[in-house]
């Protein structure tokens, strides 16, 4: 076992989920959705707390495992969730309400993100969390840059396309496009980018101004 694998196992095993999150994780598997690791959920909880986010938008909510993680880090925030499947949003809402979230602070929008995002308020969010189909990650990142206010942060899951972005031999359109997009972000003076090797890659992008 590599050092990275050993560290990942230690980090995930030290995190103990409560019954609500365990049920949400089981439901995620039953729905056939990607299951985020405990480490990724804990990182989003930390990030929401560390950034002091008060307005959050999540693109691709699924059964709400990461929505709950973000809410735990910023329980006083207003969270907007977007997903094409109303069933998933229903599960996420029940999870958050059961955990103690205020219904008035939650907003659930059913629709394909590429149709919904252009209608969302420009510069209206402190934190944007991007999940769902990695094929749309580039477009969602561009929308995210419009949606976050100065000092805001975007987090995109699966950003390394399951490790393909890191492999020079991978030259498919999606993977090459992601490499080019990240290189473009690196050149922009008002952006700071970080990539983490968790769950297919986590990209973090902060807008300075």
């Amino acid at each position: 076992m590599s050092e990275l694998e050993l560290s990942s196992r230690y980090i995930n095993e030290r995190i103990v989920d409560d019954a609500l999150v365990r049920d949400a994780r089981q439901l995620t598997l039953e729905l056939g959705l990607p299951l985020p690791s405990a480490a990724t959920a804990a990182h989003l909880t930390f990030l929401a707390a560390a950034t002091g986010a008060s307005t959050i938008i999540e693109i691709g909510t699924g059964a709400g495992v990461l929505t709950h993680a973000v809410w735990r880090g910023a329980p006083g925030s207003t969270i907007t969730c977007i997903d094409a499947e109303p069933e998933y949003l229903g599960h996420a809402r029940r999870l958050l309400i059961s955990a103690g979230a205020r219904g008035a602070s939650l907003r659930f929008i059913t629709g394909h993100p590429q149709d919904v995002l252009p209608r969302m308020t420009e510069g209206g969010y402190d934190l944007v969390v991007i999940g769902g189909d990695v094929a749309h990650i580039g477009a969602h990142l561009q929308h995210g840059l419009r949606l976050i206010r100065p000092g805001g942060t975007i987090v995109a899951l699966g950003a390394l396309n399951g490790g393909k972005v890191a492999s020079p031999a991978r030259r498919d359109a999606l993977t090459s496009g992601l490499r080019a997009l990240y290189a473009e972000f690196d050149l922009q003076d008002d952006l700071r980018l970080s990539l983490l090797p968790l769950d297919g890659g986590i990209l973090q992008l902060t807008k300075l101004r």
Side-chain angles (χ1 to χ4, degrees):
M1 182 177 291
S2 70
E3 181 181 346
L4 179 59
E5 291 170 331
L6 190 62
S7 296
S8 295
R9 188 175 73 176
Y10 167 75
I11 292 168
N12 281 296
E13 288 180 350
R14 67 178 297 276
I15 299 169
V16 180
D17 290 324
D18 63 22
L20 285 173
V21 176
R22 290 197 298 272
D23 289 346
R25 287 185 167 278
Q26 181 59 39
L27 178 61
T28 298
L29 290 174
E30 292 172 1
L31 292 171
L33 298 172
L35 182 64
S37 67
T40 292
H43 181 67
L44 286 185
T45 297
F46 169 81
L47 195 63
T51 59
S54 62
T55 50
I56 300 169
I57 186 167
E58 182 186 40
I59 303 164
T61 296
V65 171
L66 292 183
T67 322
H68 176 270
V70 170
W71 170 77
R72 282 192 65 234
S77 64
T78 299
I79 302 177
T80 299
C81 301
I82 302 172
D83 202 290
E85 297 293 337
E87 176 190 0
Y88 299 168
L89 293 175
H91 291 312
R93 180 180 178 82
R94 285 189 289 275
L95 170 61
L96 266 68
I97 293 298
S98 297
R102 295 181 299 107
S105 69
L106 305 173
R107 183 185 183 196
F108 297 90
I109 301 176
T110 302
H112 292 285
Q114 54 266 39
D115 298 326
V116 175
L117 290 172
R119 305 198 300 268
M120 305 308 290
T121 303
E122 181 173 350
Y125 299 90
D126 300 309
L127 179 63
V128 175
V129 179
I130 300 173
D133 189 349
V134 69
H136 301 294
I137 194 172
H140 293 346
L141 283 167
Q142 297 290 359
H143 280 297
L145 286 171
R146 183 183 64 83
L147 295 175
I148 57 172
R149 57 175 53 99
T153 295
I154 302 171
V155 183
L157 308 180
L160 293 176
N161 197 14
K164 294 178 182 178
V165 172
S167 172
R170 298 285 187 168
R171 301 178 183 273
D172 59 278
L174 173 59
T175 302
S176 297
L178 290 176
R179 288 194 197 104
L181 182 61
Y182 302 159
E184 178 186 332
F185 288 157
D186 284 333
L187 295 175
Q188 297 186 34
D189 291 340
D190 63 336
L191 299 178
R192 295 295 181 269
L193 180 148
S194 170
L195 284 164
L196 301 174
L198 289 173
D199 289 8
I202 296 178
L203 177 144
Q204 298 171 134
L205 193 64
T206 292
K207 181 192 287 187
L208 299 182
R209 58 182 183 274

